[in-house]
Amino acid sequence: MPIARPAASVTLDGFELRVLHIPLVSPFTTSFGTETVREVIVVRALTPDSDGWGEIVTQAAPLYSSEYTQSAWDVALRFLAPALLDARTLEPEQVAGVLEPFVGHRMAKAGLELAVLDAALRAEGRAFGEYLGAVRDAVPSGVSVGIQADPAALVDRVGGYLDEGYVRIKIKIKPGRDVADTAAVRDAFGAIPLRVDANSAYTLADAELLAELDRFDLLLIEQPLQEDDLVDHAALARRLRTPVCLDESIVSAKAATDAIALGAAAVVNVKAGRVGGYLEAVRVHDVCRDAGIPVWCGGMLETGIGRAANAALAALPGFTLPGDVSASSRFYARDIVTEPAVLEDGHVRVPTGPGLGIEIDQVALDDFTVERTLLRR
Ligand code: NPQ
Ligand code: MG
């Protein structure tokens, strides 16, 4: 469903952008590398009534996608924020249209749009979840587990998360760390809800190897091939029993429509940053729901800002599979919000306060800030 009731317009006085470095509780290893510190951009939209907060989920390097911190910083300050400040007074639903002339840079656009949405909804006293069309007050919480030193260490790590109450496990795989890692987790824990995520580490030439994963009854395999390999994903899907889920490839609602039409995606991971914003994420949800394709909410190691927004998104009716919306403590010992998301009986609560329903911990925000700039109109 489209947004039932649009938000009121806001007048933009400026944007503050900060680069943050937040230590991770443990290294997070994927097929594209290991992170020990989350580098992320936090956006503050300045309006006469209230500040609004957003987050640009890029990484320091263009490994998950083509965007990275300095590309987002540059495009946001040089083009995107000035275009929004020129528009001056606008409804949050108009943000994407103002930014549309600028090709790509979806994560940067998403972070700015979220800050404007938060400011508008705070001024109205409306919760982001209600605005998006949430139908649940809490969402089941899954966890994404990085590649460990060896399968035994992976089993230890997964066991810890199961003990905490996470309702679904996703393990990262890459060539050489796939079948044995998956087998170790299956052997240790039996019929738990289990997925694997390859982050584009394979090619269609690996189809026979990937078919070996069929015997583990996985819920899905996520993004085995490259971002632009829709046709190859469709060919691979025909050779696997495991459902193919796309993450990196789904950069818009149109991309979702195309992937579904090709038979490249039986399931879709929805990430607002990857598709250019939470409003486009709702449209991805809508096209998938119309096509009978289940979706779930992905994660980008969000701070408390993006994590609150993800919980709201994941509460929409088409999100029928548990997502990667984990507790803040999965990644951070200290977050930048006063009440970080916690795990309660395997669920994360959807905030109900105005806007994103979060309060920024200004001391933590300042402590993690390594670069800061203010753009005023
Ligand atoms: C995924 N996320 O689903 C991504 C990939 C990912 C939770 O598995 C820093 C910033 C490190 C973003 C590592 C999860 C990251 C990152 C992995 C995103 O594919
Ligand atoms: Mg993924």
Side-chain angles (χ1 to χ4, degrees), residues 170 172 197 199 222 247-248 269 271:
K170 163 171 127 182
K172 294 290 189 179
D197 185 358
N199 286 113
E222 184 176 341
D247 173 355
E248 285 88 330
N269 166 327
K271 289 178 181 167

PDB file of all heavy atoms in Angstrom, residues 170 172 197 199 222 247-248 269 271, ligand 2:
ATOM      1  N   LYS A 170      21.696 -16.306  10.258  1.00  0.00           N
ATOM      2  CA  LYS A 170      22.243 -16.213   8.902  1.00  0.00           C
ATOM      3  C   LYS A 170      23.748 -16.250   9.025  1.00  0.00           C
ATOM      4  O   LYS A 170      24.316 -15.496   9.825  1.00  0.00           O
ATOM      5  CB  LYS A 170      21.776 -14.909   8.264  1.00  0.00           C
ATOM      6  CG  LYS A 170      22.543 -14.448   7.050  1.00  0.00           C
ATOM      7  CD  LYS A 170      21.842 -13.270   6.400  1.00  0.00           C
ATOM      8  CE  LYS A 170      22.751 -12.089   6.207  1.00  0.00           C
ATOM      9  NZ  LYS A 170      22.039 -10.933   5.628  1.00  0.00           N
ATOM     10  N   LYS A 172      27.497 -15.971   7.060  1.00  0.00           N
ATOM     11  CA  LYS A 172      28.162 -15.490   5.858  1.00  0.00           C
ATOM     12  C   LYS A 172      28.984 -16.637   5.277  1.00  0.00           C
ATOM     13  O   LYS A 172      29.616 -17.405   6.026  1.00  0.00           O
ATOM     14  CB  LYS A 172      29.077 -14.312   6.212  1.00  0.00           C
ATOM     15  CG  LYS A 172      28.327 -13.086   6.697  1.00  0.00           C
ATOM     16  CD  LYS A 172      27.555 -12.428   5.566  1.00  0.00           C
ATOM     17  CE  LYS A 172      26.982 -11.099   5.998  1.00  0.00           C
ATOM     18  NZ  LYS A 172      26.253 -10.444   4.902  1.00  0.00           N
ATOM     19  N   ASP A 197      24.539 -16.187   3.380  1.00  0.00           N
ATOM     20  CA  ASP A 197      24.666 -14.957   2.586  1.00  0.00           C
ATOM     21  C   ASP A 197      26.060 -14.917   1.982  1.00  0.00           C
ATOM     22  O   ASP A 197      27.070 -14.885   2.701  1.00  0.00           O
ATOM     23  CB  ASP A 197      24.436 -13.735   3.484  1.00  0.00           C
ATOM     24  CG  ASP A 197      24.425 -12.421   2.712  1.00  0.00           C
ATOM     25  OD1 ASP A 197      24.644 -12.446   1.476  1.00  0.00           O
ATOM     26  OD2 ASP A 197      24.203 -11.371   3.340  1.00  0.00           O
ATOM     27  N   ASN A 199      27.130 -12.520  -0.323  1.00  0.00           N
ATOM     28  CA  ASN A 199      27.572 -11.183  -0.738  1.00  0.00           C
ATOM     29  C   ASN A 199      28.322 -11.211  -2.070  1.00  0.00           C
ATOM     30  O   ASN A 199      29.449 -10.720  -2.178  1.00  0.00           O
ATOM     31  CB  ASN A 199      28.421 -10.522   0.354  1.00  0.00           C
ATOM     32  CG  ASN A 199      27.593 -10.051   1.530  1.00  0.00           C
ATOM     33  OD1 ASN A 199      27.717 -10.584   2.640  1.00  0.00           O
ATOM     34  ND2 ASN A 199      26.716  -9.093   1.324  1.00  0.00           N
ATOM     35  N   GLU A 222      21.416 -16.071  -0.034  1.00  0.00           N
ATOM     36  CA  GLU A 222      21.327 -14.642  -0.328  1.00  0.00           C
ATOM     37  C   GLU A 222      22.469 -14.207  -1.240  1.00  0.00           C
ATOM     38  O   GLU A 222      23.635 -14.488  -0.949  1.00  0.00           O
ATOM     39  CB  GLU A 222      21.361 -13.883   1.003  1.00  0.00           C
ATOM     40  CG  GLU A 222      21.186 -12.380   0.909  1.00  0.00           C
ATOM     41  CD  GLU A 222      21.132 -11.739   2.298  1.00  0.00           C
ATOM     42  OE1 GLU A 222      20.868 -12.455   3.292  1.00  0.00           O
ATOM     43  OE2 GLU A 222      21.367 -10.526   2.385  1.00  0.00           O
ATOM     44  N   ASP A 247      19.826  -9.424  -2.515  1.00  0.00           N
ATOM     45  CA  ASP A 247      20.112  -8.273  -1.660  1.00  0.00           C
ATOM     46  C   ASP A 247      20.699  -7.181  -2.562  1.00  0.00           C
ATOM     47  O   ASP A 247      19.967  -6.318  -3.076  1.00  0.00           O
ATOM     48  CB  ASP A 247      21.078  -8.714  -0.540  1.00  0.00           C
ATOM     49  CG  ASP A 247      21.605  -7.581   0.328  1.00  0.00           C
ATOM     50  OD1 ASP A 247      21.317  -6.413   0.030  1.00  0.00           O
ATOM     51  OD2 ASP A 247      22.324  -7.849   1.322  1.00  0.00           O
ATOM     52  N   GLU A 248      22.004  -7.234  -2.833  1.00  0.00           N
ATOM     53  CA  GLU A 248      22.696  -6.197  -3.597  1.00  0.00           C
ATOM     54  C   GLU A 248      22.008  -5.849  -4.924  1.00  0.00           C
ATOM     55  O   GLU A 248      22.032  -4.687  -5.362  1.00  0.00           O
ATOM     56  CB  GLU A 248      24.150  -6.627  -3.880  1.00  0.00           C
ATOM     57  CG  GLU A 248      25.096  -6.550  -2.682  1.00  0.00           C
ATOM     58  CD  GLU A 248      25.119  -7.816  -1.824  1.00  0.00           C
ATOM     59  OE1 GLU A 248      24.092  -8.527  -1.737  1.00  0.00           O
ATOM     60  OE2 GLU A 248      26.179  -8.092  -1.218  1.00  0.00           O
ATOM     61  N   ASN A 269      15.430  -9.312   0.079  1.00  0.00           N
ATOM     62  CA  ASN A 269      15.954  -8.587   1.233  1.00  0.00           C
ATOM     63  C   ASN A 269      15.732  -7.103   0.949  1.00  0.00           C
ATOM     64  O   ASN A 269      16.166  -6.600  -0.089  1.00  0.00           O
ATOM     65  CB  ASN A 269      17.449  -8.929   1.368  1.00  0.00           C
ATOM     66  CG  ASN A 269      18.219  -7.993   2.306  1.00  0.00           C
ATOM     67  OD1 ASN A 269      17.926  -6.803   2.412  1.00  0.00           O
ATOM     68  ND2 ASN A 269      19.241  -8.526   2.953  1.00  0.00           N
ATOM     69  N   LYS A 271      16.486  -3.284   1.999  1.00  0.00           N
ATOM     70  CA  LYS A 271      17.310  -2.348   2.772  1.00  0.00           C
ATOM     71  C   LYS A 271      17.022  -0.955   2.228  1.00  0.00           C
ATOM     72  O   LYS A 271      17.204  -0.705   1.032  1.00  0.00           O
ATOM     73  CB  LYS A 271      18.799  -2.632   2.578  1.00  0.00           C
ATOM     74  CG  LYS A 271      19.304  -3.903   3.241  1.00  0.00           C
ATOM     75  CD  LYS A 271      20.771  -4.112   2.935  1.00  0.00           C
ATOM     76  CE  LYS A 271      21.296  -5.390   3.580  1.00  0.00           C
ATOM     77  NZ  LYS A 271      22.622  -5.755   3.032  1.00  0.00           N
TER      78      LYS A 271
HETATM   79 MG    MG B   2      23.214  -9.599   2.267  1.00  0.00          MG
END
